[in-house]
Amino acid sequence: MFRTLQRIIPPVIVLILATLGALQIELPGVEYSDSQLISAMLALIAIDAFVDRVDSSRSVERELGRIHRRLAVADSSGIRFSQRIEQEKIADLIGSARKRLWIAGPSNDGIVQCLDEIKDRIEHGVHVRMLMVDPTDELIEWYGRHSVAPTYRLTDPAGSARARLRLEDNRDRLAELGDVAGGTYELRVLERMMWFGFIVIDAGERDQRMDVQVYMYKKSADASPLLRLNSESDAKWWQTFLEQYETYWSEARSVPR
């Protein structure tokens, strides 16, 4: 109503003022002069104009925010190679998930340090998938021939035993997240070697993202390249690695609680 008045006021403002000048509006016990009535009308028009400008400003601000997010995502693409230690903290990455959080890695050593963050995401309704290798002696031997562990050799009997105990402990600690209420949590183990690790954030959403850790031959994971992919600018690579992740997931078996 007030926006309509704003459009018609300028042509007839003189007529309104002249008409109101002849009026004296009275209510029981209250009397309004023509100047008070005019001031009230102009104040209402001014308030409506202010609200209209605030709404427009907020609309522009929201649109600029969307553009900024799109540019930020685009700027993080192009398949950047950098060491894992140079990336943002895993906890911050996990905490950014709003709907889906898919994690896959041979041992998930770094992930078990972020159980509180994962629990928080589950409690907020996030769908969490967790995948790691099945800690069998055979798989540990295979990894021992391929990988370089920072503290011990997987090919030594003692090192192999320590590795198995650690992986079993990681699996058990991750399995406990299945008791957290809120979202959906799934844990699976793969009886195959994993050449890539994944953290997929909000797959299927507009701002989806994926970090891919490459596990190289005779090279520590901390010194191996990490690929940060954008689903728009890196569409082909995104699809390639997403299919690899889905293959891992489909061939893995669920861990009973």
Side-chain angles (χ1 to χ4, degrees):
M1 180 183 71
F2 292 128
R3 291 182 177 82
T4 302
L5 283 174
Q6 280 184 275
R7 289 193 291 270
I8 66 173
I9 283 294
V12 298
I13 188 66
V14 176
L15 178 61
I16 292 176
L17 295 177
T19 302
L20 291 176
L23 296 177
Q24 189 75 14
I25 297 177
E26 296 183 3
L27 294 174
V30 181
E31 184 177 285
Y32 295 96
S33 66
D34 55 347
S35 61
Q36 289 174 323
L37 188 60
I38 293 170
S39 297
M41 178 177 288
L42 293 177
L44 287 174
I45 293 172
I47 292 172
D48 183 64
F50 173 76
V51 171
D52 189 44
R53 287 183 173 86
V54 169
D55 289 341
S56 298
S57 175
R58 288 175 177 170
S59 177
V60 171
E61 183 179 358
R62 286 193 294 268
E63 185 61 28
L64 288 175
R66 285 193 291 268
I67 293 173
H68 174 75
R69 286 192 294 272
R70 287 180 61 85
L71 290 176
V73 171
D75 185 58
S76 67
S77 66
I79 308 184
R80 297 185 175 187
F81 290 85
S82 55
Q83 293 184 0
R84 180 168 58 179
I85 198 172
E86 296 173 351
Q87 300 303 316
E88 63 186 283
K89 294 179 180 179
I90 295 178
D92 295 336
L93 187 60
I94 290 172
S96 68
R98 297 178 296 106
K99 293 189 176 182
R100 299 172 191 86
L101 172 62
W102 299 346
I103 299 175
S107 67
N108 284 337
D109 279 337
I111 300 303
V112 296
Q113 307 304 317
C114 304
L115 295 182
D116 288 341
E117 288 77 12
I118 299 173
K119 179 180 178 181
D120 177 77
R121 293 297 85 202
I122 298 173
E123 291 174 341
H124 281 79
V126 174
H127 175 201
V128 179
R129 285 180 176 180
M130 191 70 63
L131 177 64
M132 63 177 290
V133 300
D134 194 18
T136 64
D137 291 336
E138 185 179 31
L139 272 174
I140 291 173
E141 181 183 353
W142 289 349
Y143 276 107
R145 295 174 181 175
H146 181 274
S147 307
V148 176
T151 56
Y152 49 84
R153 293 173 55 85
L154 296 179
T155 51
D156 294 338
S160 178
R162 289 175 58 191
R164 178 163 185 168
L165 288 175
R166 189 186 75 237
L167 291 177
E168 289 175 345
D169 181 64
N170 289 351
R171 179 199 59 200
D172 294 343
R173 294 174 67 186
L174 292 173
E176 292 175 357
L177 291 172
D179 298 327
V180 179
T184 303
Y185 180 76
E186 300 174 82
L187 171 63
R188 295 185 182 183
V189 291
L190 183 67
E191 297 176 347
R192 299 286 186 274
M193 290 189 67
M194 295 173 60
W195 304 104
F196 305 98
F198 296 89
I199 298 182
V200 185
I201 305 294
D202 294 329
E205 302 300 316
R206 185 175 182 178
D207 54 351
Q208 61 187 349
R209 60 180 295 187
M210 180 193 305
D211 281 8
V212 181
Q213 178 71 59
V214 180
Y215 299 112
M216 302 180 68
Y217 181 63
K218 298 302 181 183
K219 194 173 186 67
S220 170
D222 288 329
S224 295
L226 183 144
L227 288 63
R228 176 153 293 174
L229 303 178
N230 177 272
S231 60
E232 295 182 3
S233 58
D234 308 318
K236 185 174 181 179
W237 286 108
W238 172 279
Q239 189 61 34
T240 296
F241 282 107
L242 185 61
E243 290 174 357
Q244 176 69 97
Y245 165 80
E246 292 289 7
T247 299
Y248 283 164
W249 184 255
S250 64
E251 294 192 1
R253 61 178 176 83
S254 297
V255 176
R257 294 185 219 169

